[in-house]
Amino acid sequence: MLRKCKGNACCCVMLNSKANILTIFPHRKSIALNYLLFVVYLVPLCWLLLRVPFVKRSGIDGRVLTGLFLFKIAAGIAIGWISLNIYGTGNDYWDVNKEGWIEYQLLISDPGEYFTNIFTSAYPHEYSGMFGSGDSFWNDLKGNIVIKLVSVFNIFSRGDYYINSLFFNFLIFFGHIALYRVFIKIYPGRLIRVIIGCFLLPSMIYFSSGIHKDGLVFLMLAILIYCIFFSLKYRFTIKRLAFIITTLGMLFLLRNFIVFALVPAVFAWVLSVKAKWRPFKSFAVVYVLTGIILFTSGATGFFNPLQIITQKQADYLNLPVSATQIELSTLSPHIKSFVNNVPEAINHAIMRPYVTELPVNSILPLSIELAFYQLLFLLFLFFRQKNTDPANNSFLWFTVFFSFTGLLLIGYISPNLGSLVRYRSLYLPFLITPLICQINWKKIKKIFKLKNNII
C-alpha cells in the first residue's frame, strides 16, 4: 500500500514494531554485506558515469567528475545519517525508503497490485483536488512516484537506505551535468566558477541528495531548461520536445507551483529569442499579461490561481507548529492581499533565516550560507563584469524572473524556516552561478592588494 499524505506530514502505513524495524533496517544482521554491496555498486557506477556520452560532452576532466560525483554521494549519506540520528526514524527520507521496501515486497507477492495501485485513489472524492495539499490522490502521488522508484532500487539494494541513495543520486547527478552544460556555454572559460554554482552550493547539494522529491524536481527542472536552451540555440528536435513535455509533466505532478513560476518565464524567454525582441520588452509584455490573467481569472469561476495559493498557505498553516515556525500574514484571494504581502514574502524567501535567528542550532550553517550569498550580491552590484555575449541575456533574464517568482510563492505560503531553506535551495544555481561568473574577481583582488600595500 502506498503512502497517504496529509499536508506535508506523511502518515505512513504502520506495521507492528518488529516489522517497522525491519523495513527501516532490512537484513540488519547483514549490515557488513550492505557495506560491501555499496562499494561493489559504487565502483561500476563511477566507471559508467565517465562513459555516458551526455556526461563526456560536458568537457569536465574525468578525475574532477569522479570527485564531484563522490561528493554528491557523500551528501546523500550525510542527509540520510543526520535525518536518522538527529530526527529519528519518523522523517520523510527514511519513511520513503521504508515505503519503498513495502512496495518491493508487494512487487514480489502481487505484481498486478504493484503496477496498478499508483493509479488508484482511496478517497471518496476520487481524483479531485489536484491543487490540494492534503487528502487527495494528487498530493499522495508526489511521494508515491519516489516510493515506486525506490522500490525498483530495492531489487538490487536489499532495502538498504544508503545503497538506494547511491542509485538515486546517480540519476540526480545528471541534473547537475545538464545545468553545467548550459552555464558553461554562457560563461566559457570560467570552469571553476560554473562548477561551484552547478555542483557545490551547500544547501542545494544537501537537499537534492536526500531520497525525496526535491532531487527529482531538481533533475526534471535541469533537464527541461537544458532542452529548451539548446533547442533555442540550435533547433527543436522530436527528442528534445519529448523531454520538454515529459519533464514539464513530471514537475507538475511533483511540485505544481514550480510550473506556475516556470511557464511565463519560459514563454518570455522563447519569445525574446524567436521574435528577436529585447529581453526587457519580452518579459515586460509577458508578465503584464500574466498579471492581468492572474488577477482576473477568478471572475471566470473556472480557474482561480489566487485561491489555489491562498488555500495552499492555509494548508501549511494548519500543520502542527514546527520548531522553526515563523509568523505569516494570512492571504485572501484578492489583489490587495497579495500586493500587501509582497514585502513579507520577499523578506522570508530571500533574507531569512537571519544569522541572529537560531530557533534550532541546525539552522546556523544555512544562515551563514545565505549571508554569504547576500555578500556575493553586493559584490556583483559594485564589481559587475558584463556578459560577453548579449545573445545569452534572454536566458539570464529567464533565470531571474523564474527564480524570483518561485521564491515569492515560497514566501507567500511557507510558515517555517525549514521548508523555506529546502524549497529555496532548488533556485540557488540559477541565481548564484551568474553572480559568481559575472563578479570581476581580478578587480577585487587588485583593490585588496592596493590596500595591503598602503597599510
Side-chain angles (χ1 to χ4, degrees), residues 363-386:
I363 286 289
L364 181 59
L366 299 166
S367 304
I368 294 172
E369 180 191 10
L370 182 60
F372 180 74
Y373 295 151
Q374 292 162 357
L375 175 61
L376 280 180
F377 180 68
L378 291 176
L379 291 175
F380 171 79
L381 291 179
F382 291 103
F383 302 99
R384 180 185 175 189
Q385 191 175 14
K386 289 186 177 180

Short mmCIF file of all heavy atoms in Angstrom, two decimals, residues 363-386:
data_model
loop_
_atom_site.label_atom_id
_atom_site.label_comp_id
_atom_site.label_asym_id
_atom_site.label_seq_id
_atom_site.Cartn_x
_atom_site.Cartn_y
_atom_site.Cartn_z
N ILE A 363 20.01 25.40 12.01
CA ILE A 363 19.74 26.47 11.07
C ILE A 363 20.98 27.34 10.82
O ILE A 363 21.11 27.97 9.77
CB ILE A 363 18.57 27.36 11.60
CG1 ILE A 363 17.25 26.62 11.45
CG2 ILE A 363 18.48 28.70 10.88
CD1 ILE A 363 16.76 26.47 10.02
N LEU A 364 21.92 27.36 11.78
CA LEU A 364 23.07 28.27 11.70
C LEU A 364 23.87 28.13 10.40
O LEU A 364 24.16 29.13 9.75
CB LEU A 364 23.98 28.08 12.91
CG LEU A 364 25.22 29.00 12.96
CD1 LEU A 364 24.81 30.46 12.94
CD2 LEU A 364 26.08 28.69 14.18
N PRO A 365 24.26 26.92 9.97
CA PRO A 365 25.01 26.81 8.71
C PRO A 365 24.24 27.39 7.52
O PRO A 365 24.84 28.00 6.63
CB PRO A 365 25.23 25.30 8.55
CG PRO A 365 25.10 24.74 9.91
CD PRO A 365 24.09 25.60 10.61
N LEU A 366 22.92 27.21 7.51
CA LEU A 366 22.10 27.73 6.42
C LEU A 366 22.02 29.26 6.48
O LEU A 366 21.97 29.92 5.45
CB LEU A 366 20.70 27.12 6.49
CG LEU A 366 20.66 25.59 6.36
CD1 LEU A 366 19.31 25.05 6.78
CD2 LEU A 366 21.01 25.16 4.95
N SER A 367 22.00 29.81 7.69
CA SER A 367 22.00 31.27 7.85
C SER A 367 23.31 31.87 7.34
O SER A 367 23.32 32.90 6.66
CB SER A 367 21.80 31.64 9.32
OG SER A 367 20.62 31.08 9.85
N ILE A 368 24.42 31.21 7.68
CA ILE A 368 25.74 31.69 7.22
C ILE A 368 25.83 31.60 5.70
O ILE A 368 26.34 32.51 5.03
CB ILE A 368 26.85 30.88 7.90
CG1 ILE A 368 26.85 31.15 9.41
CG2 ILE A 368 28.21 31.21 7.29
CD1 ILE A 368 27.79 30.26 10.20
N GLU A 369 25.34 30.50 5.14
CA GLU A 369 25.35 30.34 3.68
C GLU A 369 24.56 31.46 3.01
O GLU A 369 25.03 32.07 2.04
CB GLU A 369 24.74 28.99 3.29
CG GLU A 369 24.72 28.75 1.79
CD GLU A 369 23.90 27.54 1.38
OE1 GLU A 369 23.19 26.98 2.24
OE2 GLU A 369 23.94 27.16 0.20
N LEU A 370 23.36 31.76 3.54
CA LEU A 370 22.54 32.81 2.95
C LEU A 370 23.23 34.17 3.06
O LEU A 370 23.19 34.97 2.12
CB LEU A 370 21.18 32.85 3.64
CG LEU A 370 20.17 33.88 3.12
CD1 LEU A 370 19.87 33.65 1.65
CD2 LEU A 370 18.89 33.85 3.94
N ALA A 371 23.86 34.45 4.19
CA ALA A 371 24.58 35.71 4.38
C ALA A 371 25.71 35.83 3.36
O ALA A 371 25.98 36.93 2.83
CB ALA A 371 25.13 35.81 5.80
N PHE A 372 26.36 34.72 3.05
CA PHE A 372 27.43 34.73 2.05
C PHE A 372 26.87 35.06 0.66
O PHE A 372 27.48 35.83 -0.10
CB PHE A 372 28.13 33.37 2.04
CG PHE A 372 29.24 33.27 1.03
CD1 PHE A 372 30.46 33.92 1.25
CD2 PHE A 372 29.09 32.54 -0.12
CE1 PHE A 372 31.48 33.85 0.32
CE2 PHE A 372 30.10 32.45 -1.06
CZ PHE A 372 31.31 33.10 -0.84
N TYR A 373 25.71 34.51 0.33
CA TYR A 373 25.10 34.81 -0.96
C TYR A 373 24.69 36.28 -1.05
O TYR A 373 24.80 36.93 -2.11
CB TYR A 373 23.87 33.93 -1.19
CG TYR A 373 24.18 32.46 -1.32
CD1 TYR A 373 23.24 31.50 -0.93
CD2 TYR A 373 25.40 32.01 -1.82
CE1 TYR A 373 23.51 30.15 -1.03
CE2 TYR A 373 25.68 30.67 -1.92
CZ TYR A 373 24.74 29.74 -1.52
OH TYR A 373 25.01 28.40 -1.63
N GLN A 374 24.22 36.82 0.05
CA GLN A 374 23.87 38.25 0.08
C GLN A 374 25.11 39.11 -0.12
O GLN A 374 25.05 40.15 -0.80
CB GLN A 374 23.17 38.57 1.40
CG GLN A 374 21.79 37.93 1.53
CD GLN A 374 21.27 37.88 2.95
OE1 GLN A 374 21.95 38.27 3.89
NE2 GLN A 374 20.05 37.38 3.13
N LEU A 375 26.24 38.69 0.44
CA LEU A 375 27.50 39.39 0.21
C LEU A 375 27.91 39.30 -1.26
O LEU A 375 28.38 40.29 -1.84
CB LEU A 375 28.60 38.78 1.10
CG LEU A 375 30.02 39.34 0.90
CD1 LEU A 375 30.07 40.83 1.21
CD2 LEU A 375 31.00 38.58 1.78
N LEU A 376 27.73 38.13 -1.85
CA LEU A 376 28.02 37.97 -3.28
C LEU A 376 27.20 38.95 -4.12
O LEU A 376 27.71 39.53 -5.10
CB LEU A 376 27.71 36.54 -3.74
CG LEU A 376 28.74 35.45 -3.46
CD1 LEU A 376 28.24 34.12 -3.98
CD2 LEU A 376 30.08 35.79 -4.09
N PHE A 377 25.94 39.12 -3.76
CA PHE A 377 25.08 40.05 -4.50
C PHE A 377 25.61 41.48 -4.40
O PHE A 377 25.61 42.23 -5.38
CB PHE A 377 23.65 39.97 -3.98
CG PHE A 377 22.70 40.90 -4.69
CD1 PHE A 377 22.37 40.68 -6.02
CD2 PHE A 377 22.15 41.99 -4.05
CE1 PHE A 377 21.50 41.55 -6.70
CE2 PHE A 377 21.28 42.85 -4.71
CZ PHE A 377 20.96 42.62 -6.03
N LEU A 378 26.08 41.88 -3.22
CA LEU A 378 26.66 43.23 -3.06
C LEU A 378 27.92 43.37 -3.91
O LEU A 378 28.14 44.42 -4.54
CB LEU A 378 26.98 43.48 -1.58
CG LEU A 378 25.77 43.63 -0.64
CD1 LEU A 378 26.25 43.78 0.80
CD2 LEU A 378 24.91 44.82 -1.05
N LEU A 379 28.75 42.35 -3.93
CA LEU A 379 29.95 42.39 -4.77
C LEU A 379 29.58 42.49 -6.24
O LEU A 379 30.23 43.21 -7.02
CB LEU A 379 30.80 41.14 -4.54
CG LEU A 379 31.48 41.01 -3.17
CD1 LEU A 379 32.18 39.67 -3.05
CD2 LEU A 379 32.47 42.15 -2.97
N PHE A 380 28.52 41.79 -6.62
CA PHE A 380 28.04 41.86 -8.01
C PHE A 380 27.60 43.28 -8.37
O PHE A 380 27.89 43.77 -9.47
CB PHE A 380 26.87 40.88 -8.19
CG PHE A 380 26.16 41.00 -9.50
CD1 PHE A 380 26.68 40.45 -10.65
CD2 PHE A 380 24.94 41.67 -9.59
CE1 PHE A 380 26.03 40.56 -11.87
CE2 PHE A 380 24.26 41.78 -10.79
CZ PHE A 380 24.81 41.23 -11.94
N LEU A 381 26.92 43.96 -7.46
CA LEU A 381 26.46 45.32 -7.74
C LEU A 381 27.62 46.28 -7.95
O LEU A 381 27.55 47.16 -8.82
CB LEU A 381 25.59 45.82 -6.57
CG LEU A 381 24.22 45.14 -6.37
CD1 LEU A 381 23.52 45.74 -5.17
CD2 LEU A 381 23.36 45.27 -7.63
N PHE A 382 28.70 46.10 -7.20
CA PHE A 382 29.81 47.05 -7.26
C PHE A 382 30.94 46.62 -8.20
O PHE A 382 31.72 47.46 -8.65
CB PHE A 382 30.38 47.28 -5.86
CG PHE A 382 29.45 48.02 -4.95
CD1 PHE A 382 28.73 47.35 -3.97
CD2 PHE A 382 29.27 49.41 -5.10
CE1 PHE A 382 27.85 48.04 -3.14
CE2 PHE A 382 28.39 50.09 -4.27
CZ PHE A 382 27.69 49.42 -3.29
N PHE A 383 31.04 45.32 -8.48
CA PHE A 383 32.14 44.83 -9.31
C PHE A 383 31.63 43.95 -10.43
O PHE A 383 32.19 42.90 -10.72
CB PHE A 383 33.15 44.05 -8.44
CG PHE A 383 33.73 44.86 -7.32
CD1 PHE A 383 33.22 44.74 -6.03
CD2 PHE A 383 34.78 45.74 -7.55
CE1 PHE A 383 33.75 45.47 -4.99
CE2 PHE A 383 35.32 46.48 -6.52
CZ PHE A 383 34.80 46.35 -5.24
N ARG A 384 30.57 44.39 -11.06
CA ARG A 384 29.95 43.58 -12.11
C ARG A 384 30.80 43.58 -13.37
O ARG A 384 31.30 44.61 -13.81
CB ARG A 384 28.56 44.13 -12.42
CG ARG A 384 27.84 43.34 -13.50
CD ARG A 384 26.52 43.99 -13.88
NE ARG A 384 25.88 43.32 -14.98
CZ ARG A 384 24.82 43.78 -15.63
NH1 ARG A 384 24.27 44.93 -15.25
NH2 ARG A 384 24.29 43.11 -16.62
N GLN A 385 30.93 42.38 -13.93
CA GLN A 385 31.61 42.21 -15.21
C GLN A 385 30.55 41.86 -16.24
O GLN A 385 29.82 40.88 -16.10
CB GLN A 385 32.63 41.07 -15.08
CG GLN A 385 33.57 40.95 -16.24
CD GLN A 385 34.64 39.88 -15.97
OE1 GLN A 385 34.52 39.09 -15.04
NE2 GLN A 385 35.67 39.86 -16.77
N LYS A 386 30.44 42.66 -17.28
CA LYS A 386 29.36 42.47 -18.25
C LYS A 386 29.48 41.13 -18.96
O LYS A 386 30.57 40.63 -19.22
CB LYS A 386 29.36 43.60 -19.29
CG LYS A 386 28.91 44.94 -18.73
CD LYS A 386 28.79 45.98 -19.83
CE LYS A 386 28.27 47.31 -19.28
NZ LYS A 386 28.16 48.34 -20.33
#
